[in-house]
């Protein structure tokens, strides 16, 4: 029953948002960053914003526990923790990413309420664009194989991604997949209104040597 109830909830959510004519007013903070998705017929500007907001979130989160942490390390830890169900999204999500998600929810081609493994639509133009342009040949083969049997999902793709997390730094198509399927897709299962966005940030002492 749980997957059915979840499907109904997501369906109603998408209907409510798609029925609204109002446009989400989003401040684009990363317009000066290099382009990430360049396929035709995509909302590249919004997807661009979504990726960089995600990267800032995971970088800032993992930097709290290790001020020497890099974006590569953040990707590695994020994917590994996602694979084993150890992510606390409420501690990672920023206010800006919530606003980005509100805008993403209006893209009815991006989400699939009937997908019980992930809320992402694996037949969407975004996923087709991503898989077509992933640089790593073996990863591309894995993606295509899973798509061909309708079995792509975060749980199955996480192990091969875990060993190649570093690739996300130079392959923004791969990075975009991680952002959408491992991050924003999970926002549907979180009560975003209850996230404490005003919690004080940990102060980092850059003069203190790591233990």
């Amino acid at each position: 029953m749980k997957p059915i109830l979840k499907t109904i909830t997501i369906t109603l959510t998408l209907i409510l948002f798609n029925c609204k004519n109002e446009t989400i007013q989003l401040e684009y903070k990363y317009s000066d960053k290099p382009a990430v998705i360049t396929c035709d017929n995509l909302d590249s500007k919004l997807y661009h914003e979504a990726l960089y907001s995600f990267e800032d979130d995971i970088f800032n989160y993992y930097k709290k526990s290790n001020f020497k942490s890099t974006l590569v390390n953040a990707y590695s830890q994020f994917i590994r923790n996602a694979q084993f169900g150890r992510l606390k999204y409420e501690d990672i999500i920023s206010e800006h990413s919530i606003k980005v998600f509100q805008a993403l929810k209006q893209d009815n081609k991006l989400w699939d309420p009937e997908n019980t493994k992930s809320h992402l639509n694996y037949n969407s133009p975004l996923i087709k664009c991503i898989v077509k342009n992933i640089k790593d040949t073996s990863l591309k083969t894995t993606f295509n194989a899973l798509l061909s049997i309708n079995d792509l999902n975060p749980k199955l793709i996480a192990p091969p991604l875990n060993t190649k997390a570093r690739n996300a730094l130079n392959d923004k198509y791969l990075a975009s997949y991680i952002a959408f399927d491992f991050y924003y897709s999970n926002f549907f299962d979180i009560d975003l209104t209850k996230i404490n966005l005003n919690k004080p940030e940990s102060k980092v002492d850059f003069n203190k040597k790591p233990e």
Side-chain angles (χ1 to χ4, degrees), residues 5-78:
L5 290 174
K6 186 178 292 186
T7 298
I8 293 173
T9 302
I10 301 304
T11 302
L12 291 174
T13 301
L14 291 176
I15 290 173
L16 286 172
F17 272 86
N18 289 327
C19 285
K20 290 184 178 181
N21 293 322
E22 64 185 64
T23 301
I24 299 294
Q25 297 298 318
L26 178 65
E27 175 191 359
Y28 288 88
K29 296 170 56 177
Y30 304 99
S31 300
D32 60 332
K33 296 279 189 178
V36 291
I37 299 287
T38 58
C39 295
D40 295 333
N41 303 316
L42 292 180
D43 191 346
S44 299
K45 185 178 180 181
L46 179 57
Y47 296 164
H48 174 110
E49 191 73 13
L51 173 61
Y52 284 113
S53 189
F54 158 70
E55 289 191 336
D56 264 6
D57 285 358
I58 61 172
F59 174 72
N60 290 329
Y61 175 71
Y62 288 107
K63 187 176 66 175
K64 291 177 183 178
S65 56
N66 179 7
F67 70 81
K68 287 191 174 182
S69 180
T70 64
L71 184 56
V72 172
N73 293 336
Y75 263 110
S76 296
Q77 293 181 74
F78 177 82

Side-chain angles (χ1 to χ4, degrees), residues 1-209:
M1 288 295 294
K2 190 174 181 181
I4 297 175
L5 290 174
K6 186 178 292 186
T7 298
I8 293 173
T9 302
I10 301 304
T11 302
L12 291 174
T13 301
L14 291 176
I15 290 173
L16 286 172
F17 272 86
N18 289 327
C19 285
K20 290 184 178 181
N21 293 322
E22 64 185 64
T23 301
I24 299 294
Q25 297 298 318
L26 178 65
E27 175 191 359
Y28 288 88
K29 296 170 56 177
Y30 304 99
S31 300
D32 60 332
K33 296 279 189 178
V36 291
I37 299 287
T38 58
C39 295
D40 295 333
N41 303 316
L42 292 180
D43 191 346
S44 299
K45 185 178 180 181
L46 179 57
Y47 296 164
H48 174 110
E49 191 73 13
L51 173 61
Y52 284 113
S53 189
F54 158 70
E55 289 191 336
D56 264 6
D57 285 358
I58 61 172
F59 174 72
N60 290 329
Y61 175 71
Y62 288 107
K63 187 176 66 175
K64 291 177 183 178
S65 56
N66 179 7
F67 70 81
K68 287 191 174 182
S69 180
T70 64
L71 184 56
V72 172
N73 293 336
Y75 263 110
S76 296
Q77 293 181 74
F78 177 82
I79 295 171
R80 184 166 58 251
N81 288 331
Q83 179 182 354
F84 296 106
R86 296 197 298 254
L87 282 179
K88 295 182 179 179
Y89 289 96
E90 293 85 351
D91 294 338
I92 304 174
I93 295 172
S94 66
E95 183 177 6
H96 187 65
S97 286
I98 291 176
K99 292 177 180 178
V100 169
F101 176 64
Q102 299 298 341
L104 290 172
K105 281 204 294 187
Q106 294 190 324
D107 186 346
N108 56 12
K109 292 181 180 180
L110 186 58
W111 310 109
D112 181 4
E114 296 182 1
N115 183 355
T116 57
K117 299 174 183 177
S118 166
H119 302 311
L120 197 60
N121 177 13
Y122 293 131
N123 292 313
S124 67
L126 173 65
I127 293 299
K128 291 178 181 178
C129 172
I130 285 173
V131 174
K132 180 181 178 181
N133 290 283
I134 287 177
K135 295 178 181 179
D136 187 279
T137 304
S138 62
L139 274 180
K140 181 180 288 191
T141 300
T142 302
F143 270 98
N144 282 318
L146 291 173
L147 284 169
S148 69
I149 59 174
N150 196 30
D151 208 16
L152 177 62
N153 64 77
K155 190 173 182 179
L156 288 180
I157 202 67
L161 279 182
N162 212 348
T163 62
K164 300 189 176 184
R166 178 178 295 274
N167 292 17
L169 212 61
N170 298 314
D171 185 349
K172 291 308 181 184
Y173 288 94
L174 178 61
S176 294
Y177 168 74
I178 296 169
F180 281 91
D181 211 7
F182 283 76
Y183 196 53
Y184 291 107
S185 181
N186 288 279
F187 284 28
F188 283 104
D189 301 324
I190 300 170
D191 187 346
L192 299 174
T193 64
K194 293 185 178 180
I195 294 180
N196 181 14
L197 297 171
N198 297 316
K199 54 182 178 292
E201 294 187 2
S202 302
K203 298 295 184 181
V204 178
D205 184 355
F206 291 98
N207 295 314
K208 181 181 179 181
K209 294 182 179 180

